[in-house]
Amino acid sequence: VYVQGRSAAGRDYAGLIPLGGRIEEFFGLDECTFVLWPVWSKQNDGELTTVAWFYPIWSRTAGLTEDRFRIFPFYGFAQRHGQYEKRFVMWPIWTWARYEYPASHGTGWILFPLYGRLDLSDQSSHLIFPPFIRIFHGQEVDRVDAPWPLVRIQRGRRNHFHLWPLYGQS
């Protein structure tokens, strides 16, 4: 596919997908430069710059407030300064996150497909054989999905009982 144009800023661009080129304002990206895509690409999107080799296997993203790296599916991390840090090892087997939002902070993890736990300042969850069994406790609501999506029970500011597809009440 041959792509050619002029950006809103008046810069000419062209690319022959998958051989190489530079494309601007394409698929929501500000700019994408590539050679033998998916072998190598560099993408700019606002403040973030991502370099990828053998997309989606290896990528590195950097910006003023965000950093990401991955060698998929073996290891990866994402960090948005002052908001969260997330990591995975052998995705989806082990995932971990730390949240630093002012109203809700804490950690969570999942050892898939066995168990997961989320402990935040305003809520907690246990996941057993995720996503099939979830026990959630929040400030305004308690919820049990066991097994999801067949049985859903919620108590608190709003009450639900759903036995799908036979019965439901809210």
Side-chain angles (χ1 to χ4, degrees):
V1 175
Y2 180 72
V3 180
Q4 178 180 356
R6 180 171 291 136
S7 70
R11 293 184 303 268
D12 292 330
Y13 62 83
L16 183 58
I17 301 170
L19 297 179
R22 185 181 63 80
I23 303 172
E24 293 192 28
E25 301 161 352
F26 188 70
F27 282 126
L29 298 172
D30 293 336
E31 180 181 359
C32 180
T33 305
F34 60 96
V35 176
L36 298 174
W37 191 86
V39 174
W40 181 87
S41 65
K42 180 180 180 182
Q43 304 164 5
N44 294 315
D45 186 13
E47 68 161 50
L48 297 177
T49 300
T50 300
V51 175
W53 286 91
F54 299 101
Y55 176 84
I57 306 296
W58 187 97
S59 71
R60 176 76 172 105
T61 301
L64 296 175
T65 61
E66 191 167 346
D67 293 305
R68 292 181 280 193
F69 172 77
R70 77 169 171 229
I71 301 175
F72 188 80
F74 306 107
Y75 174 77
F77 80 86
Q79 180 179 23
R80 179 164 276 183
H81 306 293
Q83 293 185 14
Y84 62 78
E85 177 183 355
K86 301 176 182 181
R87 297 183 184 273
F88 69 81
V89 176
M90 296 305 296
W91 187 89
I93 304 300
W94 176 259
T95 57
W96 173 89
R98 180 178 64 227
Y99 300 97
E100 301 170 359
Y101 300 111
S104 184
H105 53 277
T107 61
W109 57 271
I110 295 178
L111 177 61
F112 187 80
L114 302 175
Y115 185 76
R117 177 102 175 126
L118 177 67
D119 288 306
L120 299 178
S121 57
D122 63 341
Q123 61 182 282
S124 66
S125 288
H126 296 271
L127 298 121
I128 303 163
F129 302 114
F132 299 112
I133 299 173
R134 178 180 181 209
I135 303 165
F136 171 87
H137 175 70
Q139 291 179 338
E140 297 183 11
V141 69
D142 293 323
R143 182 171 176 165
V144 175
D145 298 325
W148 176 86
L150 302 178
V151 176
R152 295 175 32 217
I153 303 166
Q154 178 175 308
R155 298 286 178 248
R157 61 182 160 83
R158 190 165 181 198
N159 296 325
H160 298 285
F161 176 77
H162 292 236
L163 183 59
W164 187 82
L166 303 175
Y167 179 80
Q169 179 181 354
S170 294

